[in-house]
């Protein structure tokens, strides 16, 4: 069975706390694993969360601040130590190439695995696997930052009642799917569009066009809410979002499941992030992330 879920490895901004590791998130998408923003301690959090180096096919880094990237050194060495047999793509802002290179070669180790750097320097598609396209969009932060958006192409679902009404069965179903038409019956007559799922990862940014473009129509949006609304000025100054800002983005974008994360250590009550997100008018599924949480992608929309 295909599994689509978010595995939360860490949820702290800037510095880890007693209860929160630096950032780190793995999106399990059918057979693939995409690691987002591995902060310090990610290798151990993967162990605790049951994610192996072999599970990773892709790494996406939004920007080169330590809480989003210091874990690259350990994770890349672990991928090599475990002799992961498949290539692992790595996306990150091209302006941070020197940071990526340093982290990749931070200490001596034996290279056995194929890490495939694919730096990002513009908005657009950064990978197309057939199963999904991965898009990047520029965010607004003191250092260059890109958010990511994964889009599954729309598919088609055959409707059994319509097939039966046209008397199409057995191998003819496959013929119709392949050729698009069979004896005057078209694919449209017997099937409906199955909307592809969309996931977005938005870290370390002020409100900007990229945030809205990434969030648009997402089944799941993982987004930073470093600050609470009373600290909006501080958020703007440091290039971050508040809980209310993130929730309004999700509301306006029609997000199915909103995951708030990347919390400042100044706050002690995670419940306040939820209250402010609800007060901002977001009424979909809402998760205030904590370490080692697993959040399944919502069911397909009709
Ligand atoms: Zn951060």
């Amino acid at each position: 069975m295909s599994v689509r879920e978010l595995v939360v490895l860490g949820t702290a901004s800037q510095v880890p706390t007693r209860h929160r590791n630096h950032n780190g998130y793995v999106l399990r998408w059918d057979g693939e694993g995409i690691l987002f923003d591995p902060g310090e301690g990610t290798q151990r959090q993967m162990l605790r969360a049951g994610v192996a180096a072999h599970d990773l096919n892709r790494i996406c880094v939004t920007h080169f601040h330590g809480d989003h990237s210091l874990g690259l050194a350990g994770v890349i060495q672990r991928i090599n130590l475990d002799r992961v047999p498949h290539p692992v793509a790595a996306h990150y802002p091209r302006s941070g190439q020197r940071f990526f290179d340093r982290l990749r070669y931070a200490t001596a180790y034996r290279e056995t695995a194929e890490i495939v750097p694919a730096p990002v320097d513009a908005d657009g598609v950064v990978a197309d696997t057939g199963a999904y396209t991965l898009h990047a969009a520029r965010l607004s932060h003191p250092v260059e930052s890109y958010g990511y958006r994964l889009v599954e192409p729309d598919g088609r679902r055959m409707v059994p009642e319509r097939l039966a009404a046209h008397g199409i069965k057995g191998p003819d179903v496959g013929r119709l799917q392949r050729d698009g038409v069979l004896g005057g019956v078209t694919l449209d007559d017997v099937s409906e569009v199955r909307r592809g799922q969309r996931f977005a990862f938005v870290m370390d940014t002020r409100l900007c066009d990229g945030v809205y473009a990434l969030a648009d129509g997402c089944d799941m949006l993982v987004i930073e809410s470093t600050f609470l609304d009373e600290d909006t000025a501080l958020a703007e100054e440091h290039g971050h979002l508040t809980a209310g800002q993130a929730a309004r983005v999700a509301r306006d974008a029609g997000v199915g499941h909103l995951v708030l994360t990347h919390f400042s250590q100044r706050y002690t009550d995670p419940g306040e992030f939820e209250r402010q997100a609800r007060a901002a008018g977001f009424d979909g599924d809402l998760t205030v992330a904590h370490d080692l949480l697993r959040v399944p992608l919502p069911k397909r929309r009709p």
Side-chain angles (χ1 to χ4, degrees):
M1 210 188 89
S2 65
V3 173
R4 293 183 181 181
E5 66 172 0
L6 177 76
V7 182
V8 178
L9 302 175
T11 52
S13 74
Q14 200 168 43
V15 292
T17 71
R18 277 162 48 92
H19 302 289
R20 297 188 187 276
N21 198 78
H22 256 176
N23 285 290
Y25 312 83
V26 172
L27 178 67
R28 289 191 187 273
W29 189 272
D30 304 338
E32 274 211 39
I34 307 175
L35 172 65
F36 290 95
D37 279 5
E40 211 178 320
T42 294
Q43 186 181 177
R44 182 143 192 275
Q45 292 297 93
M46 284 170 56
L47 183 77
R48 297 179 72 202
V51 177
H54 278 73
D55 296 333
L56 303 180
N57 302 85
R58 194 178 295 282
I59 301 172
C60 296
V61 173
T62 59
H63 67 294
F64 285 99
H65 276 151
D67 54 330
H68 300 258
S69 59
L70 280 174
L72 279 171
V75 169
I76 289 175
Q77 289 197 24
R78 185 60 183 271
I79 287 168
N80 282 276
L81 182 73
D82 288 0
R83 298 174 178 273
V84 168
H86 52 257
V88 178
H91 309 286
Y92 49 85
R94 189 186 294 277
S95 59
Q97 184 68 50
R98 68 191 189 283
F99 299 123
F100 181 81
D101 293 341
R102 281 183 207 155
L103 288 161
R104 182 180 182 186
Y105 296 115
T107 71
Y109 66 97
R110 183 147 174 245
E111 279 192 284
T112 64
E114 191 188 350
I115 305 290
V116 185
V120 179
D121 52 19
D123 288 12
V125 174
V126 296
D128 185 351
T129 69
Y132 64 80
T133 52
L134 182 69
H135 303 248
R138 181 79 188 266
L139 298 171
S140 173
H141 196 54
V143 302
E144 192 174 27
S145 186
Y146 282 94
Y148 296 94
R149 171 180 165 93
L150 189 147
V151 178
E152 178 187 32
D154 289 341
R156 286 212 156 258
R157 189 183 82 87
M158 305 304 278
V159 181
E161 301 80 44
R162 294 199 211 161
L163 285 168
H166 287 90
I168 296 169
K169 57 187 179 201
D172 279 347
V173 176
R175 278 186 201 113
L176 177 54
Q177 280 177 309
R178 196 177 54 241
D179 301 337
V181 61
L182 183 81
V185 179
T186 68
L187 205 49
D188 282 339
D189 294 333
V190 293
S191 68
E192 57 190 18
V193 173
R194 190 194 66 175
R195 183 182 181 276
Q197 289 199 301
R198 302 165 193 182
F199 168 91
F201 184 80
V202 176
M203 283 297 130
D204 288 33
T205 184
R206 301 173 181 86
L207 285 176
C208 65
D209 291 348
V211 175
Y212 293 98
L214 291 162
D216 184 46
C218 275
D219 296 273
M220 180 181 284
L221 170 65
V222 180
I223 187 167
E224 69 125 307
S225 67
T226 311
F227 291 100
L228 290 170
D229 291 340
E230 51 269 34
D231 294 317
T232 301
L234 216 52
E236 173 68 23
E237 184 188 337
H238 293 284
H240 286 296
L241 297 173
T242 69
Q245 287 174 334
R248 277 188 291 277
V249 167
R251 179 197 66 193
D252 296 347
V255 165
H257 194 143
L258 169 64
V259 180
L260 297 178
T261 186
H262 189 274
F263 306 113
S264 164
Q265 74 273 16
R266 77 186 58 222
Y267 308 115
T268 50
D269 176 16
E272 193 55 24
F273 287 89
E274 178 167 3
R275 283 188 285 279
Q276 293 194 354
R278 288 302 186 201
F282 179 74
D283 60 4
D285 293 333
L286 172 63
T287 296
V288 175
H290 59 79
D291 291 16
L292 306 180
L293 184 68
R294 305 179 99 89
V295 190
L297 242 81
K299 288 209 182 339
R300 282 183 186 285
R301 298 181 186 194

